[in-house]
Amino acid sequence: DVKVTQSSRYLVKRTGEKVFLECVQDMDHENMFWYRQDPGLGLRLIYFSYDVKMKEKGDIPEGYSVSREKKERFSLILESASTNQTSMYLCASSPSGRSRGNEQFFGPGTRLTVL
Amino acid sequence: AQSVAQPEDQVNVAEGNPLTVKCTYSVSGNPYLFWYVQYPNRGLQFLLKYITGDNLVKGSYGFEAEFNKSQTSFHLKKPSALVSDSALYFCAVRDYTDKLIFGTGTRLQVFP
């Protein structure tokens, strides 16, 4: 079974703090994704990566950055956390797009609260 | 641009009755469509997908979905609902890269 793990299930931080969210997948997938989930808005893509050291902006990259130094690990960084970044953060991975039918596999999510 | 719409925020159904969760899509070219389910405080779990072939796609937990090209729909169905099916359901479409575009989600509530 594909396993995608995230470093924390719940996280509470203060405004202005630098926050790191870690994601690890064990299936050698090329693609990795970070989403945030908010009620009524569904999932919105923050950043994604097709390969090591490669990143692309998604729909809502402002206030976030990412790092992918190893194939299995994809980190989301909030440089200076703000209250409007309080949300559920979901990481996902998938094989590369040779077959466009590849589904994404999701981690359990990190519920971040910024006070 | 690719998009999906889930017109219902919530669907209520009695246990044992059939259920339908609606999804419509807008794509250029052939659609690649997915359904995911999310249980409380969990990540998303893949249910099923349509790539090509039969319009009726069978997936996990007894769910199926019907692809209708003329109506640009991909509704999720189950013949007999269970209380344990209560969850948040997301429809998604693949864009020209490997990204998924998600709908806003539909909360399914199955009453005993």
Side-chain angles (χ1 to χ4, degrees):
Chain A
D1 275 355
V2 175
K3 196 158 186 184
V4 180
T5 58
Q6 296 184 228
S7 50
S8 304
R9 292 299 304 275
Y10 299 93
L11 207 54
V12 179
K13 295 292 182 180
R14 297 208 173 272
T15 302
E17 281 192 77
K18 191 169 186 176
V19 181
F20 294 86
L21 302 182
E22 305 284 340
C23 175
V24 177
Q25 51 95 2
D26 66 359
M27 282 300 292
D28 201 37
H29 285 168
E30 290 81 5
N31 302 327
M32 296 189 75
F33 307 83
W34 274 107
Y35 298 89
R36 63 176 283 175
Q37 180 182 6
D38 300 288
L41 297 178
L43 275 73
R44 293 179 292 167
L45 183 64
I46 305 171
Y47 268 97
F48 59 101
S49 170
Y50 289 139
D51 203 349
V52 176
K53 296 190 186 296
M54 179 274 175
K55 60 186 178 184
E56 293 284 343
K57 292 180 180 179
D59 300 318
I60 51 164
E62 297 79 18
Y64 303 95
S65 62
V66 291
S67 172
R68 193 167 181 199
E69 296 296 318
K70 294 185 178 182
K71 190 175 185 180
E72 68 270 18
R73 187 180 298 268
F74 192 34
S75 302
L76 180 69
I77 302 155
L78 287 65
E79 296 289 343
S80 177
S82 64
T83 55
N84 63 12
Q85 292 178 310
T86 292
S87 186
M88 170 73 95
Y89 290 88
L90 293 165
C91 175
S93 72
S94 74
S96 68
R98 283 184 291 273
S99 165
R100 290 184 62 210
N102 293 327
E103 63 266 29
Q104 292 181 13
F105 296 86
F106 282 80
T110 296
R111 188 167 293 281
L112 172 67
T113 301
V114 182
L115 301 175
Chain B
Q2 324 274 59
S3 66
V4 292
Q6 294 181 244
E8 301 155 317
D9 290 337
Q10 179 153 333
V11 170
N12 299 318
V13 64
E15 188 174 31
N17 283 359
L19 70 87
T20 299
V21 182
K22 295 179 180 177
C23 172
T24 58
Y25 65 88
S26 174
V27 302
S28 52
N30 294 323
Y32 292 75
L33 298 159
F34 301 79
W35 275 102
Y36 285 83
V37 61
Q38 185 180 35
Y39 297 102
N41 298 313
R42 306 288 295 276
L44 273 68
Q45 296 178 31
F46 169 75
L47 276 179
L48 51 80
K49 63 185 176 185
Y50 172 82
I51 306 302
T52 186
D54 290 340
N55 290 341
L56 188 63
V57 179
K58 293 190 183 298
S60 306
Y61 312 122
F63 283 94
E64 57 192 26
E66 187 171 10
F67 172 70
N68 188 316
K69 189 172 183 178
S70 63
Q71 296 185 5
T72 62
S73 66
F74 188 55
H75 300 333
L76 182 70
K77 301 183 183 217
K78 188 173 183 182
S80 179
L82 299 172
V83 173
S84 57
D85 292 330
S86 299
L88 190 56
Y89 291 81
F90 289 98
C91 181
V93 63
R94 187 76 160 260
D95 76 357
Y96 62 92
T97 66
D98 286 343
K99 294 184 290 182
L100 290 178
I101 312 298
F102 286 88
T104 52
T106 297
R107 186 165 301 281
L108 173 66
Q109 192 73 46
V110 181
F111 294 95

